[in-house]
Amino acid sequence: MDRRAGITALGAYAPPTVLTNQDLETRMDTSDEWIRTRTGIRRRHVAAEDEFTSDLAFRSVEDLLRRYGDEALAGVDMVIVATNTPDALFPATAALVQHRFGLTAGAFDLLAACPGWIYALSVAKAYVENGQCRKVLAIGAEALTKLVDWDDRSTAVLFGDGAGAAVVEEVEAPYGLAPMVLGADGGGAEHLHAGAVGACLPGGAKLTPKVVMNGREVFKFAVRVMDTATIEAIDKAGLTPDDIELFVPHQANFRIIDAARERLGLPEERVVVTVDEYGNNSTASIPLAMTHALDDGRIRDGDRLLIVAFGGGLSWAAGVMT
Ligand code: COA
């Protein structure tokens, strides 16, 4: 019989230091009112100076262990960390997680901008379903505020830090992850990017290791792709929007989330919104929001969840799970 992969454990972490919109008012020419009305963000959690993506990833796994016990990690044979802010180019942040928890596992980082965690789930699903792995630990972890240009008010107010971890392994029907939608358009690199080693774009524009964004272009792209990718993912799962009990979108901007919700015809109570508390913590945003939903009793046995994300350079992903 065909194997089916699904999520069997979740955990999350956000650093305790909080930066409010009012705090930002004292640091740059902005206002609580501007940030709230444009994005829905009120606060964001920020990693300490000596706290990096691996530390956040460790904490999210510790949270998962607290919830599910040590057994949850038994037999994990692959660790994937989706991140845009790895501690180092190598070793992989995932290898640090492997070592920290004494796992006998392969480990690699996955770089796919904000949709990275959905990409990681799709890899985990494939590895479990094709027999390559028994259990995959798929983490989204981000110390994004270290990549933010604090002199650029148009991006600095948007981002935060955090991490979320999930165990993916074989499950029985009706549980499991449906086939996912994965997309990319590198032609949109100019609209949202951050530099690394080969620091230039096609055409030669020099990059710095800071987030650079054309907010309006990204907004238009996000609204469009949240619509098309969610419909495609629901279709791939053989469902209709009415079948979705909970929508857990990437937490970048409340207006983008609400536009997607409306296009799907879902009532407000079926959407998880955490952007007000965390801002956009990229690959961490969906597993963190899912963990919140679990804690709030908003995920019940057999519920069908829709996830979707968009991000840098440009990229998107979506999927449905039971
Ligand atoms: N505080 C106050 N004013 C700000 C500001 C801030 N933090 N950032 C920008 N502004 C100003 C600009 O200088 C500009 O002023 P001007 O009109 O005098 O030139 C004006 O506000 C820009 O307004 P506008 O472009 O109309 O804002 P917007 O409604 O498009 O909202 C974003 C801006 C960034 C909130 C919005 O475009 C957005 O959310 N885009 C998507 C970004 C995203 O999700 N990125 C992450 C992807 S994973």
Side-chain angles (χ1 to χ4, degrees):
M1 206 183 90
D2 287 348
R3 284 197 192 88
R4 296 168 65 92
I7 294 179
T8 56
L10 269 177
Y13 176 74
T17 303
V18 166
L19 208 55
T20 64
N21 291 349
Q22 287 77 11
D23 294 331
L24 292 179
E25 284 177 352
T26 66
R27 291 173 66 157
M28 61 188 75
D29 181 17
T30 190
S31 68
D32 172 52
E33 205 264 335
W34 192 96
I35 301 170
R36 264 190 302 105
T37 54
R38 298 283 202 299
T39 71
I41 299 168
R42 291 169 187 273
R43 296 143 53 98
R44 66 284 294 141
H45 291 238
V46 177
E49 216 164 299
D50 60 352
E51 190 177 31
F52 297 95
T53 295
S54 60
D55 301 305
L56 304 176
F58 296 166
R59 299 284 192 130
S60 69
V61 177
E62 284 163 5
D63 183 58
L64 182 149
L65 289 171
R66 256 193 307 277
R67 292 161 186 273
Y68 299 89
D70 290 350
E71 267 306 295
L73 289 191
V76 164
D77 47 5
M78 183 61 68
V79 182
I80 308 174
V81 175
T83 182
N84 303 290
T85 50
D87 291 17
L89 290 177
F90 51 85
T93 310
L96 303 178
V97 173
Q98 168 274 321
H99 179 68
R100 168 72 177 69
F101 294 96
L103 302 170
T104 305
F108 65 95
D109 289 354
L110 191 154
L111 203 65
C114 293
W117 188 69
I118 302 181
Y119 270 75
L121 283 188
S122 78
V123 176
K125 169 180 161 64
Y127 278 178
V128 169
E129 292 182 355
N130 71 17
Q132 170 76 49
C133 296
R134 192 177 140 222
K135 260 189 186 182
V136 181
L137 181 58
I139 300 172
E142 218 67 75
L144 207 59
T145 59
K146 297 186 195 299
L147 201 63
V148 160
D149 179 353
W150 290 100
D151 293 327
D152 175 8
R153 66 176 181 171
S154 70
T155 54
V157 303
L158 302 178
F159 299 105
D161 302 327
V167 171
V168 177
E169 64 186 308
E170 190 174 352
V171 293
E172 307 245 326
Y175 304 111
L177 293 155
M180 290 173 203
V181 176
L182 305 170
D185 173 14
E190 64 181 301
H191 300 311
L192 184 52
H193 56 256
V197 176
C200 62
L201 288 180
K206 207 75 188 126
L207 303 188
T208 55
K210 296 285 173 206
V211 176
V212 177
M213 186 182 74
N214 177 337
R216 275 194 193 167
E217 283 302 323
V218 175
F219 192 97
K220 282 189 280 180
F221 155 74
V223 170
R224 191 175 66 244
V225 84
M226 295 273 269
D227 182 31
T228 53
T230 50
I231 294 296
E232 198 182 334
I234 291 169
D235 193 48
K236 278 191 169 205
L239 301 171
T240 68
D242 280 349
D243 299 319
I244 300 301
E245 274 92 12
L246 204 61
F247 178 36
V248 193
H250 175 45
Q251 306 287 317
N253 181 317
F254 179 73
R255 289 190 294 152
I256 295 171
I257 293 172
D258 210 45
R261 178 194 65 75
E262 265 188 22
R263 294 294 282 264
L264 288 165
L266 295 175
E268 281 171 15
E269 60 272 16
R270 285 205 221 162
V271 185
V272 179
V273 178
T274 56
V275 69
D276 50 334
E277 175 66 25
Y278 297 107
N280 176 354
N281 51 29
S282 191
T283 58
S285 90
I286 293 175
L288 187 62
M290 281 176 62
T291 307
H292 267 278
L294 208 54
D295 285 345
D296 295 342
R298 295 184 68 190
I299 303 181
R300 293 153 309 168
D301 194 11
D303 275 356
R304 277 147 315 190
L305 270 63
L306 170 66
I307 58 177
V308 63
F310 62 91
L314 297 161
S315 53
W316 62 95
V320 171
M321 70 184 82
T322 303

